[in-house]
Amino acid sequence: MKKFTDIFSRGLIVSCQAREGEPLFSSDIMARMADSARIGGAIGIRANAPSDIKAIKKRVPLPLIGIYKIISKESEVYITPTFESARVIAEAGADVIALDATGRPRPNGETLRELIERIHKELDIPVMGDCSTLEEGIAAVRFGADAIATTLSGNTPYSPQKKEPDWKLLSELIEKVDAPVVAEGRFNAPELAAKAIQMGAYAVVVGTAITRPHEVTSWFSQALLIYK
Amino acid sequence: MKKFTDIFSRGLIVSCQAREGEPLFSSDIMARMADSARIGGAIGIRANAPSDIKAIKKRVPLPLIGIYKIISKESEVYITPTFESARVIAEAGADVIALDATGRPRPNGETLRELIERIHKELDIPVMGDCSTLEEGIAAVRFGADAIATTLSGNTPYSPQKKEPDWKLLSELIEKVDAPVVAEGRFNAPELAAKAIQMGAYAVVVGTAITRPHEVTSWFSQALLIYK
């Protein structure tokens, strides 16, 4: 199996995602977004679901972190919650599988440890654990995760709910976890991304600020409302 | 003829443009970008060329400032340089025509004064003059322009070449010109756009930061290079 650090060099990973019902929801457009990211200097892509991943890998020669968001009534875990969801995005071309690495119960009673083991053994692909706390990061690496990301801070009810990135979690993971740490979640300005790398993050994932124009528009339009 | 201020309320206008050869070059994608801008709270759109303008007006119920960029060997003026270029974007659905309001010679020997007069008389549409200096703004309003924008500061060889918006030009136009002044050009962050409105700009046009993901990616990737 390749190492995470052989697949991704240090730098900027651009997340290219649109939700159903949004104007940019289209695998072709996500592939064009990923190509725009490549032109702008991204060293990797993060993308959701088999159709987007296939379209992006066909168009853009960059390594890709694949996820598969599956919402279910059964479980709060929705980022690549099951082995089957990991298998189909591996087949679609993902170079790394990212998944929810919280300790919350998963669909089918699968466990994080089993999931990471099966992805390594059966799919031969490195795993990135999306965490919301230091403890989750430590556990995920003990279970074999090849990289750790701060993605889920603010996304679990028990992690801090902030507007800024979770700097505390990022620095603790960098200090205490023996795996590459990826900064992800609200790194919405170049200076925030640069600070993360300066602190020792291996890479930074930026999504909204680059590929979600309706969100960026709302940052501007809300700033103007103050003066109306 | 409608007034500029009846067509556009105060607020954020999002410029949706992609150049030939760029991954997002597509009238359908520009229409989806404009729809994203609407969802995010934009009160208007700026767009280039008949096909994009048609596609946007079909999908998005917002007023639109139309331009038609035509590069020629004959003249340095390329933003809606001729009456014919204004006519086709009016036909495509533009609610306001923006054009180069510098004093530089135009193709076919047309003059700014004639151009504005003919657009008013024959197309019945207000004109926004894209300027690079205070003198150009004053002249454009004297020639009948219904609104003035700072778009071309940094774009003519004789105007200041800056990384920041041209605050001096903006404040002078607001003070000395009796027409709505639109802030445009490098207003790449919400606080810059808010400052323009606070200073008295009638509206702010934001393009790159919202609709040009390869450029935004490069702001991030370049910020990270410092720490490599």
Side-chain angles (χ1 to χ4, degrees), chain A residues 6-36:
Chain A
D6 290 338
I7 297 171
F8 287 94
S9 62
R10 294 193 74 194
L12 176 69
I13 296 169
V14 175
S15 182
C16 300
Q17 297 182 48
R19 294 183 197 144
E20 211 171 331
E22 290 176 354
L24 301 188
F25 183 70
S26 145
S27 294
D28 175 57
I29 295 175
M30 287 305 109
R32 290 164 185 260
M33 279 285 186
D35 207 21
S36 302

Side-chain angles (χ1 to χ4, degrees), chain B residues 128-166:
Chain B
M128 181 166 93
D130 289 348
C131 301
S132 72
T133 66
L134 173 63
E135 293 66 35
E136 289 169 356
I138 290 169
V141 172
R142 204 174 55 225
F143 295 158
D146 306 277
I148 287 297
T150 56
T151 320
L152 290 175
S153 172
N155 213 289
T156 57
Y158 51 84
S159 57
Q161 311 292 312
K162 292 182 178 178
K163 279 200 159 187
E164 278 257 303
D166 190 342

Side-chain angles (χ1 to χ4, degrees), chain A residues 9-12 14 21-26 28-29 31-33 35-43 59 187-191 193-195 197-198 204 206 209-224 227-228, chain B residues 9-12 14 21-26 28-29 31-33 35-43 59 187-191 193-195 197-198 204 206 209-224 227-228:
Chain A
S9 62
R10 294 193 74 194
L12 176 69
V14 175
E22 290 176 354
L24 301 188
F25 183 70
S26 145
D28 175 57
I29 295 175
R32 290 164 185 260
M33 279 285 186
D35 207 21
S36 302
R38 177 190 62 77
I39 291 165
I43 56 87
R59 183 173 181 133
F187 291 87
N188 284 331
E191 29 325 341
K195 185 179 166 187
I197 295 287
Q198 200 179 11
V204 186
V206 178
I210 297 176
T211 62
R212 292 176 72 72
H214 69 282
E215 292 281 354
V216 182
T217 301
S218 75
W219 300 340
F220 279 89
S221 62
Q222 276 163 33
L224 300 198
Y227 302 105
K228 268 209 171 170
Chain B
S9 63
R10 294 194 73 193
L12 176 69
V14 175
E22 290 176 354
L24 301 187
F25 182 71
S26 144
D28 175 58
I29 295 176
R32 289 163 184 261
M33 279 286 185
D35 207 21
S36 302
R38 177 191 62 78
I39 291 166
I43 55 88
R59 182 173 182 133
F187 291 86
N188 285 330
E191 25 334 334
K195 185 178 166 188
I197 295 288
Q198 200 179 11
V204 186
V206 178
I210 297 176
T211 61
R212 293 176 73 72
H214 70 281
E215 291 279 354
V216 182
T217 301
S218 76
W219 300 341
F220 278 89
S221 63
Q222 276 164 31
L224 301 198
Y227 301 105
K228 269 209 169 168

Side-chain angles (χ1 to χ4, degrees), chain B:
Chain B
M1 193 179 68
K2 281 191 191 159
K3 284 174 68 180
F4 181 87
T5 52
D6 291 339
I7 298 171
F8 287 93
S9 63
R10 294 194 73 193
L12 176 69
I13 296 169
V14 175
S15 181
C16 300
Q17 297 182 48
R19 295 183 196 145
E20 210 172 331
E22 290 176 354
L24 301 187
F25 182 71
S26 144
S27 295
D28 175 58
I29 295 176
M30 286 306 108
R32 289 163 184 261
M33 279 286 185
D35 207 21
S36 302
R38 177 191 62 78
I39 291 166
I43 55 88
I45 302 296
R46 176 167 166 134
N48 173 45
S51 60
D52 285 10
I53 292 168
K54 263 182 219 163
I56 291 169
K57 287 301 289 186
K58 196 173 167 187
R59 182 173 182 133
V60 183
L62 285 181
L64 183 146
I65 297 172
I67 58 171
Y68 197 172
K69 289 181 176 171
I70 299 177
I71 310 286
S72 69
K73 285 182 188 162
E74 198 183 339
S75 163
E76 284 169 350
V77 172
Y78 65 91
I79 301 180
T80 327
T82 60
F83 178 74
E84 180 55 23
S85 64
R87 196 187 57 72
V88 293
I89 55 175
E91 223 165 65
D95 301 284
V96 166
I97 306 272
L99 45 73
D100 180 310
T102 67
R104 298 176 296 181
R106 289 163 190 278
N108 318 330
E110 293 183 44
T111 68
L112 179 61
R113 181 196 291 264
E114 287 164 4
L115 194 49
I116 295 173
E117 280 176 8
R118 285 191 71 187
I119 292 170
H120 283 165
K121 211 176 287 181
E122 300 179 36
L123 306 177
D124 197 36
I125 285 185
V127 171
M128 181 166 93
D130 289 348
C131 301
S132 72
T133 66
L134 173 63
E135 293 66 35
E136 289 169 356
I138 290 169
V141 172
R142 204 174 55 225
F143 295 158
D146 306 277
I148 287 297
T150 56
T151 320
L152 290 175
S153 172
N155 213 289
T156 57
Y158 51 84
S159 57
Q161 311 292 312
K162 292 182 178 178
K163 279 200 159 187
E164 278 257 303
D166 190 342
W167 298 113
K168 183 163 175 282
L169 176 61
L170 181 64
S171 68
E172 288 178 345
L173 285 171
I174 289 166
E175 195 190 333
K176 299 192 175 155
V177 165
D178 187 24
V181 175
V182 174
E184 179 168 0
R186 308 183 296 280
F187 291 86
N188 285 330
E191 25 334 334
L192 301 177
K195 185 178 166 188
I197 295 288
Q198 200 179 11
M199 283 168 63
Y202 185 80
V204 186
V205 177
V206 178
T208 307
I210 297 176
T211 61
R212 293 176 73 72
H214 70 281
E215 291 279 354
V216 182
T217 301
S218 76
W219 300 341
F220 278 89
S221 63
Q222 276 164 31
L224 301 198
L225 287 179
I226 299 167
Y227 301 105
K228 269 209 169 168

